[in-house]
Structure formats: structure tokens, C-alpha cells
């Protein structure tokens, strides 16, 4: 089990690598670079970049223990055929009209090179904040027999939390890794983490990377 709050994860004590995935949300150039979407909206991307070493340690530990690694990327189609009038209005209001920011055809859509993406990792591309909306994410999880999700990435209060809530509503067992998530708004980050634990874990459990890596090391030892 993984030490967590308000209960250790998973609740029944059965942590099975083949049924578990580490989810790495949206660690893309558009959110982490100094010239991407996030920075152009006035946010400092440095808190997001600060979690990269932690996420890589988690990826290495999870991969060694036999977990699946699933990365998500957020962006619209290059031809913007999936962009509604409201989304186009928001894009213009944000000063992005005429740019390729947040388009899948742009360099900013790519996962930052600092993150260890292996050929066997799964990548899910999404348009919305939640990874379940208009994607094959749930189908992939069901096909792989994955029932337990460990959450990392950015931003804690938007895409991580939206996907977490969607997963909980679909009865996946969820664990959020506090120091492997980040936001450009520290108050929003802290509030999002707090919300995981309310009502005795309404959105699953909360832990840190140390506890996860310790559990992964134990699983790796048992496998050998």
C-alpha cells in the first residue's frame, strides 16, 4: 500500500502493477516554456518546470514496478475544426488569434524533452481539460485492465483536477501525488489538493512522491 491521506492507497490494500497507471498530465511546451500559452497569459511557468525531476523519478520507479505510463497532451486540431465559436472568442480575447499556440500542429504541443517518454508509453491527445472528454482514454484504460490511477502533471487546479474528477465518477481508484503536480496559481494549487481529501476522500487519496517511490521499490523487489 501507499501511505496517503485520508486513507492509504488503495483502500483494500491490493496494489497490483498491471492494474495501475501513472498519469502524466500535459507536460507540454505550451505550458512549460517561457514563450508558450501559459507564459503569454501572464503566469510564471517555473513552478511547472520545478516538478519535472520529481515526475521523472516517479516515471522510472513506476516503470520498473510494471505500471503503465500514460501521458496526455492538450491542444486543438491544426485546422481548428474542433474549436467552437466560444473557444475562438476566448482565443482572440487571450491574444492568440493568428498564432499556432495550443494547436496540435505546433511545436508547443509536444511534451517537453526533459520528460522521459518511452516507446511503450501511451499518449492520449485531448481537446478539453479532462482527458476523458472526446478521447479514447477510458477505452484504453478498460482495454488495458487499468483500474487504479496515480496523478501527476499540470495544472493541479485545471486539467489534473478535471481528469481526476472524471475518473472518480467512473469508479477508478485515484491517488494524487502532491509534489508531482503544479499550477501557476499557488492558492489554486493548494485548494485543489485540499479538495481531494474533503468528505473523507471524495476524490480519492493524496500522497507525495516519496511514498509512491517507496511503494514502487517494494513492488519491484517482489517482482524479482
Amino acid at each position: 500500500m501507499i501511505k496517503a491521506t485520508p486513507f492509504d492507497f488503495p483502500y483494500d490494500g491490493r496494489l497490483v502493477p498491471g492494474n495501475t497507471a501513472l498519469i502524466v498530465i500535459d507536460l507540454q511546451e505550451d505550458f512549460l516554456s517561457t514563450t508558450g500559452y501559459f507564459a503569454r497569459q501572464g503566469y510564471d511557468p517555473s513552478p511547472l518546470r520545478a516538478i519535472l525531476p520529481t515526475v521523472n523519478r516517479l516515471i522510472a520507479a513506476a516503470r520498473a514496478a510494471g505500471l503503465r505510463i500514460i501521458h496526455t497532451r492538450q491542444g486543438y486540431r491544426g485546422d481548428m475544426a474542433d474549436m467552437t465559436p466560444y473557444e475562438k472568442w476566448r482565443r482572440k480575447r487571450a491574444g492568440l488569434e493568428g498564432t499556432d499556440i495550443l494547436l496540435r500542429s505546433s511545436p508547443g504541443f509536444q511534451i517537453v524533452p526533459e520528460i522521459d517518454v518511452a516507446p511503450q508509453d501511451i499518449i492520449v491527445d485531448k481537446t478539453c481539460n479532462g482527458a476523458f472528454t472526446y478521447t479514447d482514454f477510458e477505452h484504453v484504460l478498460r482495454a488495458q485492465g487499468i483500474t487504479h490511477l496515480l496523478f501527476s502533471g499540470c495544472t493541479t487546479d485545471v486539467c489534473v483536477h478535471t481528469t481526476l474528477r472524471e475518473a472518480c465518477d467512473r469508479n477508478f481508484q485515484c491517488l494524487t501525488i502532491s509534489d508531482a503536480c503544479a499550477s501557476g496559481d499557488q492558492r489554486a494549487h493548494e485548494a485543489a489538493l485540499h479538495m481531494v481529501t474533503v468528505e473523507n476522500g471524495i476524490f480519492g487519496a493524496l500522497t507525495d512522491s516519496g511514498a509512491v517511490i517507496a511503494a514502487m521499490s517494494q513492488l519491484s523487489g517482489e517482482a524479482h
Side-chain angles (χ1 to χ4, degrees):
M1 294 182 74
I2 300 172
K3 293 294 182 183
T5 302
F7 54 85
D8 291 342
F9 182 88
Y11 74 94
D12 58 3
R14 297 180 64 249
L15 185 61
V16 180
N19 296 342
T20 309
L22 174 66
I23 312 301
V24 184
I25 303 282
D26 297 359
L27 292 180
Q28 301 161 251
E29 294 285 3
D30 262 338
F31 302 113
L32 275 68
S33 79
T34 57
T35 57
Y37 165 77
F38 208 59
R40 288 184 64 141
Q41 298 311 296
Y43 292 101
D44 179 6
S46 60
L48 279 58
R49 299 196 64 83
I51 68 171
L52 295 179
T54 299
V55 173
N56 270 337
R57 286 193 294 271
L58 285 164
I59 289 172
R63 191 175 286 145
L67 277 67
R68 293 306 301 258
I69 313 299
I70 303 178
H71 306 265
T72 70
R73 302 185 297 188
Q74 183 172 12
Y76 295 96
R77 288 166 49 110
D79 62 5
M80 297 189 287
D82 54 352
M83 197 177 296
T84 66
Y86 171 67
E87 288 166 320
K88 290 178 181 178
W89 174 82
R90 289 193 74 244
R91 185 175 180 85
K92 182 176 181 180
R93 189 168 184 263
L96 302 180
E97 191 175 39
T99 75
D100 63 0
I101 287 176
L102 291 182
L103 299 184
R104 298 183 185 183
S105 54
S106 75
F109 182 66
Q110 302 306 315
I111 295 169
V112 294
E114 293 91 336
I115 286 295
D116 178 20
V117 181
Q120 68 269 26
D121 291 355
I122 298 169
I123 298 177
V124 174
D125 292 338
K126 61 190 181 69
T127 298
C128 300
N129 296 323
F132 288 90
T133 303
Y134 306 133
T135 75
D136 59 1
F137 185 43
E138 183 172 6
H139 181 67
V140 168
L141 294 175
R142 304 295 186 193
Q144 296 293 317
I146 294 168
T147 53
H148 292 61
L149 308 178
L150 314 182
F151 281 91
S152 66
C154 72
T155 60
T156 321
D157 47 311
V158 183
C159 293
V160 174
H161 226 277
T162 303
T163 305
L164 168 66
R165 287 169 179 243
E166 290 179 328
C168 289
D169 280 351
R170 289 164 172 81
N171 291 311
F172 289 93
Q173 298 301 308
C174 297
L175 179 69
T176 301
I177 308 169
S178 60
D179 57 334
C181 299
S183 172
D185 185 318
Q186 185 62 22
R187 288 188 299 172
H189 169 75
E190 292 171 358
L193 295 179
H194 173 67
M195 279 190 284
V196 174
T197 65
V198 300
E199 295 183 44
N200 201 32
I202 188 70
F203 299 122
L206 182 68
T207 192
D208 59 34
S209 60
V212 175
I213 291 171
M216 295 301 105
S217 297
Q218 185 174 351
L219 286 174
S220 298
E222 291 171 357
H224 296 103

